[in-house]
C-alpha cells in the first residue's frame, strides 16, 4: 500500500508533507479539485443527470412538489442545487434548508423559518425587518455562524407558546404572496420529520398546511432511504402522493468513464477507459464513491495510471471508511453477521431454505424477518424487487475481505 510504504521509509511527518505536496500540485494543475466527494458537487464536477435535472427544473418553474429518494451517496443534494442554479427567473426564489440536526418539531420550525427569512432578504437589517413583518412574538438575532461558507446565522427564538405551527408553515406562502413571487423550499434530510416525537401528528400538521399553498412548492429529500420510503410510499402516511416522485438510479458507467478520463487529463495524467471502468464497477457506480476512489487513484499514480494504482487506490479508500464499518458491525449479533455473510455469498432471497439457514446459522425461520428489519434500520442492507442486497458497496467489499 502506497501510504504504508511511504510512512515506513520516510516517517509519518515526512509522508504527510509529501502527500500534501502531491495533492497541492494535482489541484493546482487542474485549477480545481478534479474529484469531489463528501460534499455536494457543482459546476464541472457535476456529471450526467441530464434527464433528472431537466425534470426537476421544470417542477421548480411550474410549482410542482418533488420527492427524491435513493440510497446514500447518489448525489441528491448535488442534483437539487444544480437544478436551483439553473432557475433564471427572478420571480422564483429557491430556498435550501438542511434539517439533519433537528430533533423536535420546533427545532424544525426554527430552522425552516430562519432559512426562508435569510433567503428572501439580502441584508442583515432586512432579515430582522422581514422577520418582524411576517412573524409575531419573536426575538430575532444575528450571530456569526460556525457553518462553512456562512458569515452569519439568523435566530428567531420561535417557541410553542408564542408561535403556532400554522404561522410558521405558512411563512413562505405569505411572503410569496406579498412580494409577488413564487418560492421553492428544498428540505434536505427530510426523514428527520419521521423520527421526531409524535411524528405522525407533526406530519399531519405540515401536510394540512402545505397542501393549500399555491405560490410555494416543496422539494423533499433525504439520505436515509428506508425512512424516506416509509414517509412517502405508504397510503397510511400523510405525505403519500405529495408530489412528483424521483428515485435516483446509479449513473451508468458509459457516463462516468469519459468524465474520469477527462479529469485525469486536466490534471496532466492519463488513465485508460478500461481502468476508469474498473473504478466504477469496484464501487458499483455509487456517485460519491466513484469520485473518492478516482481521487485516491490519482494521488498514488504517476503520469499514467496502471492496474496496481487502482489496487492501491481501492485500499486507500477502504482505509478511509473502515472505522465507520467497524463501528457499524460491533453491535451486531452473530445471526445478523451470518445474514450479511449469506448475502455476500450471493444469496438474496429464499433465506428460509434449510440449506441456507443451516449453512449460515440464521436461526429459525421466524427469526428471519427480525434480522432483515434490524439490518434495514441500520442501513446495512436494502430490499429491492429481486431480494436483499448490501446497501454500501464499500461495506460489502470490506466485509467480504475481513469478516468472511
Amino acid at each position: 500500500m502506497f501510504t504504508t510504504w511511504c510512512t515506513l521509509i520516510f516517517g509519518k511527518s515526512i509522508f504527510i508533507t509529501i502527500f500534501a505536496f502531491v495533492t497541492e500540485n494535482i489541484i493546482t494543475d487542474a485549477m480545481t479539485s478534479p474529484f469531489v466527494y463528501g460534499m455536494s458537487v457543482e459546476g464541472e464536477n457535476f456529471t450526467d443527470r441530464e434527464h433528472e435535472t431537466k425534470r426537476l427544473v421544470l417542477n421548480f418553474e411550474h410549482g410542482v412538489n418533488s420527492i427524491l429518494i435513493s440510497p446514500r451517496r447518489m448525489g441528491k443534494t448535488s442534483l437539487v442545487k444544480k437544478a436551483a442554479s439553473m432557475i433564471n427567473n427572478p420571480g422564483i426564489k429557491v430556498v435550501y434548508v438542511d434539517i439533519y440536526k433537528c430533533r423536535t418539531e420546533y427545532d424544525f420550525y426554527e430552522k425552516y423559518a430562519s432559512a426562508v427569512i435569510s433567503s428572501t432578504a439580502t441584508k442583515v437589517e432586512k432579515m430582522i425587518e422581514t422577520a418582524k413583518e411576517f412573524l409575531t412574538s419573536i426575538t430575532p438575532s444575528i450571530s456569526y455562524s460556525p457553518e462553512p461558507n456562512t458569515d452569519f446565522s439568523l435566530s428567531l427564538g420561535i417557541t410553542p407558546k408564542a408561535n403556532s405551527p400554522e404561522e410558521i408553515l405558512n411563512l413562505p406562502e405569505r411572503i410569496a404572496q406579498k412580494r409577488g413571487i413564487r418560492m421553492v423550499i428544498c428540505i434536505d434530510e427530510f426523514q428527520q420529520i419521521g423520527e421526531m416525537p409524535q411524528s405522525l401528528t407533526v406530519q399531519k400538521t405540515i401536510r394540512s398546511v402545505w397542501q393549500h399553498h399555491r405560490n410555494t412548492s416543496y422539494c423533499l429529500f433525504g439520505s436515509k432511504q428506508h425512512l424516506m420510503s416509509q414517509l412517502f410510499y405508504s397510503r397510511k402516511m400523510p405525505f403519500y402522493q405529495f408530489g412528483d416522485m424521483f428515485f435516483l438510479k446509479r449513473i451508468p458507467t458509459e457516463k462516468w468513464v469519459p468524465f474520469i478520463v477527462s479529469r485525469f487529463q486536466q490534471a496532466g495524467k492519463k488513465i485508460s477507459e478500461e481502468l476508469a471502468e474498473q473504478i466504477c464497477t469496484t464501487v458499483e457506480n455509487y456517485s460519491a464513491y466513484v469520485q473518492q476512489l478516482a481521487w485516491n487513484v490519482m494521488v498514488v499514480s504517476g503520469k499514467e495510471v496502471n492496474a496496481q494504482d487502482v489496487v492501491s487506490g481501492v485500499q486507500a479508500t477502504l482505509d478511509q471508511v473502515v472505522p465507520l464499518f467497524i463501528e457499524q458491525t460491533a453491535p451486531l449479533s452473530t445471526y445478523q453477521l451470518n445474514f450479511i455473510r449469506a448475502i455476500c455469498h450471493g444469496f438474496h432471497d429464499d433465506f428460509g431454505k434449510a440449506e441456507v439457514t443451516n449453512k449460515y446459522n440464521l436461526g429459525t425461520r421466524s427469526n428471519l424477518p427480525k434480522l432483515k428489519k434490524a439490518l434495514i434500520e441500520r442501513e446495512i442492507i436494502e430490499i429491492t424487487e429481486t431480494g436483499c442486497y448490501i446497501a454500501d458497496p464499500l461495506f460489502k467489499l470490506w466485509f467480504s475481505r475481513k469478516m468472511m
Side-chain angles (χ1 to χ4, degrees):
M1 187 177 65
F2 177 81
T3 55
T4 303
W5 178 80
C6 285
T7 304
L8 289 174
I9 294 179
F10 298 110
K12 184 175 181 180
S13 61
I14 297 179
F15 164 69
I16 292 173
T17 303
I18 294 173
F19 182 85
F21 174 78
V22 172
T23 303
E24 180 181 356
N25 276 275
I26 290 174
I27 294 176
T28 301
D29 289 343
M31 299 305 293
T32 184
S33 182
F35 299 101
V36 178
Y37 60 93
M39 63 184 71
S40 61
V41 300
E42 54 190 35
E44 62 181 5
N45 290 310
F46 186 90
T47 184
D48 194 44
R49 300 290 189 206
E50 291 97 344
H51 172 72
E52 295 94 336
T53 303
K54 181 179 179 181
R55 179 174 156 191
L56 195 56
V57 168
L58 286 173
N59 284 358
F60 286 2
E61 291 176 338
H62 293 84
V64 177
N65 295 330
S66 306
I67 314 298
L68 276 66
I69 297 179
S70 78
R72 287 179 180 272
R73 305 176 183 89
M74 284 296 185
K76 292 181 290 296
T77 302
S78 299
L79 172 60
V80 171
K81 290 186 175 181
K82 174 68 173 180
S85 72
M86 295 175 66
I87 301 298
N88 296 317
N89 186 342
I92 299 176
K93 186 67 179 179
V94 182
V95 179
Y96 172 83
V97 53
D98 185 339
I99 65 168
Y100 179 73
K101 295 180 181 179
C102 297
R103 296 294 179 264
T104 68
E105 179 182 9
Y106 271 80
D107 285 347
F108 166 66
Y109 294 150
E110 173 71 33
K111 191 78 173 179
Y112 173 85
S114 297
V116 171
I117 297 293
S118 298
S119 298
T120 52
T122 55
K123 296 181 179 180
V124 172
E125 296 79 7
K126 279 290 185 181
M127 289 183 189
I128 302 296
E129 291 178 14
T130 302
K132 291 181 177 180
E133 179 184 359
F134 289 97
L135 295 173
T136 60
S137 303
I138 57 170
T139 54
S141 62
I142 302 292
S143 60
Y144 287 100
S145 174
E147 300 294 331
N149 303 319
T150 305
D151 294 328
F152 53 82
S153 62
L154 173 66
S155 175
L156 298 172
I158 292 171
T159 64
K161 289 184 178 181
N163 309 100
S164 69
E166 291 76 14
E167 178 189 16
I168 305 305
L169 294 168
N170 276 316
L171 177 63
E173 181 72 359
R174 292 177 59 213
I175 293 176
Q177 290 176 350
K178 184 78 175 288
R179 303 284 165 81
I181 61 173
R182 287 192 289 112
M183 298 185 69
V184 182
I185 312 298
C186 302
I187 303 181
D188 202 346
E189 304 295 355
F190 190 76
Q191 76 279 339
Q192 293 301 116
I193 297 294
E195 297 191 291
M196 291 176 180
Q198 299 181 318
S199 169
L200 189 57
T201 300
V202 176
Q203 293 174 54
K204 289 178 179 178
T205 299
I206 297 173
R207 174 67 188 260
S208 68
V209 175
W210 284 356
Q211 68 183 353
H212 298 295
H213 289 175
R214 296 294 176 264
N215 298 281
T216 307
S217 59
Y218 297 85
C219 177
L220 311 176
F221 54 109
S223 61
K224 295 185 178 181
Q225 181 182 346
H226 74 285
L227 292 177
M228 289 291 290
S229 297
Q230 289 173 10
L231 291 176
F232 295 100
Y233 282 150
S234 173
R235 292 178 179 269
K236 298 179 181 179
M237 301 302 285
F239 278 96
Y240 177 68
Q241 290 190 336
F242 181 69
D244 184 17
M245 300 287 291
F246 289 62
F247 190 88
L248 295 189
K249 297 180 180 179
R250 306 171 198 189
I251 295 174
T253 301
E254 59 266 25
K255 295 287 186 178
W256 274 120
V257 168
F259 173 81
I260 294 171
V261 171
S262 67
R263 303 303 272 172
F264 271 81
Q265 288 175 341
Q266 290 176 30
K269 291 172 176 277
K270 181 179 180 181
I271 184 172
S272 67
E273 291 187 353
E274 291 75 19
L275 291 179
E277 181 175 342
Q278 186 178 335
I279 288 174
C280 299
T281 56
T282 298
V283 293
E284 300 179 11
N285 289 42
Y286 273 57
S287 298
Y289 281 158
V290 171
Q291 301 242 28
Q292 184 174 0
L293 177 53
W295 169 248
N296 283 327
V297 171
M298 179 175 284
V299 168
V300 301
S301 66
K303 287 294 184 181
E304 183 168 355
V305 178
N306 57 46
Q308 184 56 47
D309 293 330
V310 177
V311 173
S312 299
V314 170
Q315 186 58 56
T317 305
L318 284 173
D319 289 344
Q320 291 166 350
V321 294
V322 161
L324 171 62
F325 296 158
I326 292 175
E327 182 180 348
Q328 282 183 299
T329 54
L332 299 184
S333 68
T334 299
Y335 288 142
Q336 290 169 343
L337 291 171
N338 288 343
F339 194 89
I340 297 172
R341 291 186 179 100
I343 295 176
C344 288
H345 277 143
F347 292 95
H348 302 292
D349 54 14
D350 293 330
F351 294 97
K353 288 185 176 179
E355 59 182 284
V356 181
T357 304
N358 295 333
K359 180 177 181 179
Y360 292 98
N361 186 22
L362 299 179
T364 62
R365 289 176 61 93
S366 61
N367 191 45
L368 293 176
K370 297 178 182 178
L371 292 179
K372 289 182 183 179
K373 184 174 184 294
L375 293 173
I376 289 172
E377 290 177 349
R378 292 179 180 275
E379 297 189 286
I380 292 176
I381 69 170
E382 60 185 8
I383 306 296
T384 72
E385 294 178 353
T386 56
C388 297
Y389 292 85
I390 304 300
D392 187 316
L394 281 183
F395 179 91
K396 178 183 176 182
L397 183 59
W398 169 78
F399 194 93
S400 298
R401 290 184 179 184
K402 299 296 184 181
M403 303 291 285
M404 301 292 278

